Amino acid sequence: DNVVRLVINKRVLQKVSPIALGYLVLGLACGMLGQKAHLNPLETTAMSILAYAGSSQFIGIAMMLQGASFFSIGLTVLMVNLRCALFSSTLAPFFSGWKSSALAGFAHGITDETFAVNLQSFNKENQPPWTTQEALTINVLGCIVWSISNGVGCFAAEYLNLNISLVSYILTAMFLGIWSNYLVKRTMIITGISAGILSIFLSMVVPYKLHIVLASLFCSSLATYLVIKHERGGNDE
């Protein structure tokens, strides 16, 4: 009963709906790409569950199509996913008292989208406050939608004629929708725009979409440093 109530929770459905919609379309495209790399629906679905990371799956499959070695694929995927360690550590204070096994399960379901939504929900003055169970439900629902859509996309690849180039536009639209929640703060607006501009320049020299990760890490780290420095300066005065 508790699980059912969480799934049909109005707040959960409201926050997970844009994520699920984006995952549905992107998952179909990722599954179709997997079929081109000679993965079957079962393998594609298993990959989506065990290595639950959309951008990394696209990169990994693209490298398979290019004949890259397993070592280079694994190393590249690891580098792309290192940001998830930062995501997990940021959300960890909200999960004090949880067992290690439960924390590992939650961390496995963290993506860029679910992290952004959950962090905002925890920090926002919700009434009642956002709960860890609701956060976990969003992670699980996102993983289910992503995995199923991957399997369906791989299975139907011979019948669906989806232009894979559209994926970049869909992914951009989904991130813009999530980022729009932060447009109330000037710091977030400046950081986002700066990261976007830097990412464009880095894309000319950095392969496999790593320019996005590097630009995001650099601009967010710089913004954090400047904010902390400003706050400490204000306290000294």
Side-chain angles (χ1 to χ4, degrees):
D1 292 342
N2 291 333
V3 174
V4 174
R5 282 198 294 269
L6 280 172
V7 172
I8 63 176
N9 184 311
K10 182 179 179 180
R11 296 198 301 178
V12 170
L13 290 177
Q14 182 180 17
K15 293 179 182 297
V16 80
S17 293
I19 296 176
L21 182 61
Y23 282 6
L24 178 62
V25 179
L26 288 171
L28 289 172
C30 188
M32 295 175 67
L33 192 64
Q35 192 270 344
K36 294 181 181 296
H38 306 292
L39 297 175
N40 61 46
L42 182 60
E43 292 171 336
T44 305
T45 303
M47 179 183 183
S48 303
I49 297 174
L50 299 176
Y52 176 44
S55 58
S56 296
Q57 284 181 236
F58 275 106
I59 294 171
I61 294 174
M63 293 180 70
M64 290 180 191
L65 289 171
Q66 296 171 2
S69 66
F70 285 114
F71 176 79
S72 60
I73 293 174
L75 182 60
T76 302
V77 170
L78 176 63
M79 291 180 63
V80 173
N81 281 349
L82 281 178
R83 69 192 188 284
C84 293
L86 178 62
F87 295 163
S88 301
S89 61
T90 302
L91 292 176
F94 299 104
F95 291 82
S96 58
W98 276 42
K99 295 181 179 179
S100 299
S101 57
L103 287 173
F106 177 82
H108 176 73
I110 292 179
T111 62
D112 301 79
E113 299 80 18
T114 58
F115 167 75
V117 169
N118 280 323
L119 181 62
Q120 183 200 28
S121 299
F122 278 125
N123 290 330
K124 193 174 181 181
E125 295 181 357
N126 291 304
Q127 293 298 330
W130 189 248
T131 66
T132 53
Q133 288 75 19
E134 289 174 315
L136 178 61
T137 303
I138 283 185
N139 284 14
V140 172
L141 290 177
C143 184
I144 291 174
V145 172
W146 174 257
S147 302
I148 292 177
S149 60
N150 266 256
V152 172
C154 184
F155 176 78
E158 296 182 2
Y159 310 100
L160 295 178
N161 187 22
L162 179 65
N163 190 342
I164 300 298
S165 63
L166 293 175
V167 170
S168 59
Y169 296 98
I170 298 170
L171 189 61
T172 301
M174 184 169 58
F175 275 111
L176 285 175
I178 295 173
W179 182 48
S180 64
N181 295 318
Y182 297 92
L183 294 182
V184 294
K185 295 184 179 181
R186 184 175 61 178
T187 303
M188 295 298 295
I189 297 174
I190 296 174
T191 302
I193 294 175
S194 301
I197 295 173
L198 179 60
S199 177
I200 293 173
F201 285 105
L202 289 178
S203 67
M204 302 176 185
V205 293
V206 181
Y208 301 126
K209 306 296 183 182
L210 290 176
H211 58 280
I212 300 175
V213 179
L214 294 176
S216 300
L217 285 175
F218 177 79
C219 291
S220 59
S221 299
L222 179 60
T224 301
Y225 168 76
L226 293 176
V227 169
I228 293 176
K229 183 178 180 181
H230 175 74
E231 291 177 349
R232 288 179 177 175
N235 293 333
D236 293 340
E237 293 177 0

